Amino acid sequence: MSKKIVFITGASAGIGEACARVFAREGYDLLLAARRIDRLEVLSAQLVAEFGVRTHLLALDVRDAGEVFGMFNNLPANWQQVDVLVNNAGLSQGLDPIQAGDIGDWDRMIDTNIKGLLYVTRAVAPGMVARKQGHIINIGSIAAKEVYPNGNVYCATKHAVDALTKGMRIDLLDKHIKVTAIHPGMVETEFSEVRFKGDTARAAAVYDRIEPLSAEDVAETVWFAASRPKHVNVNDVVIMPTMQANATTAIRE
Ligand code: NDP
Ligand code: 8X3
C-alpha cells in the first residue's frame, strides 16, 4: 500500500518545518513548499536519510495563483493525491497603528495569509473531493480570535483564516473532508524577525523572560488532529504558552 501524503506550505522554517519532521516520523511522504528551496533541500535530505520517506519539493510563492495551480497540476499524478494539507505559510509584517500602516505590508499579509491559503486549498481540494477523503489543517493564530494594539491587518488576515476554516468545513462536510484550525499563541520561530524585517534585537525582545511555545509543540498538535480516527474531527484548537493568558496578557519572570 502506498504511503499517505502530506502537503505542507511554508516548510522551510518554524512550524512548517517542524510539521515536516513530525509527519516524516509518522511515515508520511512529504510534499513541501516554500520560496527558499535551498532550505527545503537540506530538510528533505535529513528526513529521507532518517525516516526513509519520499519527498517532492516545490519552490513556490503561495501569493502567485498561476504558480500555485501550474505547479500543483503539473505534479506527477501520485503526488497530487494529498491526504493532509497543512496551510501554514504565513507572515506578519510591521506592527503599526492603522493610520501609519505600510500598504506594502498590508498587501504582503493579505496576499499570503488569505489569498495564498485560498489558492492552495482551491488547487488541492478537488482531488480530495473526488477521492472522498482528506484533511485540511489551517494554521490560524490567537490573532484569529483576538485583536491587539497595532495588530490590525495581521489580526484581520487570521480572523479570515478562522472564517474560511468554518466555511470550508461546511462546504466539504458531505464530501467527507475534515477541516481543522490550530491557533497558537506565541511561538519562537523566525516569525518576529520577519515581522520586524530583520531587526533581531526587537525580535528577541518578544521572547524575553518568557517560555514561548516551540514549533514542535504546534507540530505535535497538528499531528494530534491529523491522527484522530475517521469519525473524529478536531474543529478548533487554541494552544498557548503557559505564561501567556491571551493576546495581550503574559508574565515575564
Ligand atoms: P516562520 O517565519 O518561521 O516561517 C514561515 C514560513 O512561511 C516559512 O517557511 C516561509 O518560507 C513561509 N512563507 C512565507 N511567505 C510565503 C510565501 N509567499 N510563499 C510560500 N511560503 C511562504 O514563521 P512561523 O513558523 O511562526 O509561521 C508559520 C505560520 O504560523 C504562519 O501562518 C503564522 O502566521 C502562524 N503563527 C505563528 C505564530 C508565532 O508566534 N510564531 C503564532 C500563531 C500563528 P519562505 O520564506 O522560504 O517562503
Ligand atoms: C502570531 C502570534 O500574538 O503575534 O500569530 O499574533 S501574535
Side-chain angles (χ1 to χ4, degrees):
M1 204 178 83
S2 63
K3 286 183 177 181
K4 287 189 171 179
I5 293 174
V6 63
F7 180 10
I8 303 168
T9 65
S12 61
I15 294 168
E17 179 181 339
C19 286
R21 291 184 191 285
V22 168
F23 278 85
R25 179 192 74 198
E26 300 297 336
Y28 275 64
D29 286 334
L30 309 169
L31 181 57
L32 304 178
R35 291 166 300 179
R36 290 170 293 179
I37 189 77
D38 51 327
R39 285 192 178 211
L40 294 182
E41 284 164 355
V42 172
L43 175 65
S44 166
Q46 288 172 0
L47 298 180
V48 168
E50 188 171 353
F51 299 108
V53 294
R54 291 181 311 151
T55 65
H56 193 97
L57 310 181
L58 298 175
L60 177 66
D61 186 335
V62 297
R63 295 173 296 179
D64 186 329
E67 225 175 74
V68 170
F69 293 107
M71 279 198 185
F72 190 78
N73 294 333
N74 284 313
L75 284 171
N78 57 319
W79 281 105
Q80 292 186 23
Q81 316 230 330
V82 173
D83 294 286
V84 180
L85 166 62
V86 182
N87 272 319
N88 164 78
L91 81 179
S92 183
Q93 292 267 269
L95 191 64
D96 301 306
I98 200 76
Q99 70 277 13
D102 181 280
I103 303 287
D105 288 349
W106 294 357
D107 285 344
R108 277 186 289 278
M109 289 189 278
I110 292 167
D111 289 350
T112 310
N113 301 355
I114 305 177
K115 292 167 72 177
L117 179 144
L118 280 170
Y119 299 153
V120 174
T121 303
R122 182 66 181 80
V124 174
M128 290 181 166
V129 168
R131 294 188 299 280
K132 284 194 161 48
Q133 63 168 42
H135 193 167
I136 298 171
I137 302 179
N138 295 328
I139 304 300
S141 169
I142 188 63
K145 305 290 186 180
E146 300 175 41
V147 179
Y148 51 83
N150 304 326
N152 42 63
V153 174
Y154 178 68
C155 295
T157 66
K158 289 300 185 175
H159 275 62
V161 172
D162 197 25
L164 287 169
T165 302
K166 292 172 186 164
M168 288 179 196
R169 192 178 300 122
I170 296 165
D171 295 349
L172 296 169
L173 180 67
D174 66 349
K175 314 298 179 208
H176 308 282
I177 311 301
K178 296 188 188 191
V179 183
T180 296
I182 308 291
H183 300 287
M186 193 185 295
V187 190
E188 189 163 8
T189 61
E190 295 172 15
F191 177 85
S192 292
E193 266 186 65
V194 172
R195 167 173 261 175
F196 299 126
K197 300 172 183 171
D199 183 339
T200 49
R202 196 172 174 199
V206 173
Y207 311 111
D208 185 37
R209 293 178 296 112
I210 189 167
E211 186 171 0
L213 297 172
S214 66
E216 292 70 29
D217 294 326
V218 180
E220 293 294 355
T221 308
V222 171
W223 173 246
F224 177 82
S227 58
R228 292 311 85 206
K230 191 172 164 48
H231 69 288
V232 177
N233 185 59
V234 176
N235 276 10
D236 203 54
V237 177
V238 177
I239 174 172
M240 304 292 286
T242 306
M243 296 176 79
Q244 184 183 14
N246 61 27
T248 51
T249 315
I251 49 167
R252 295 181 188 268
E253 293 177 342

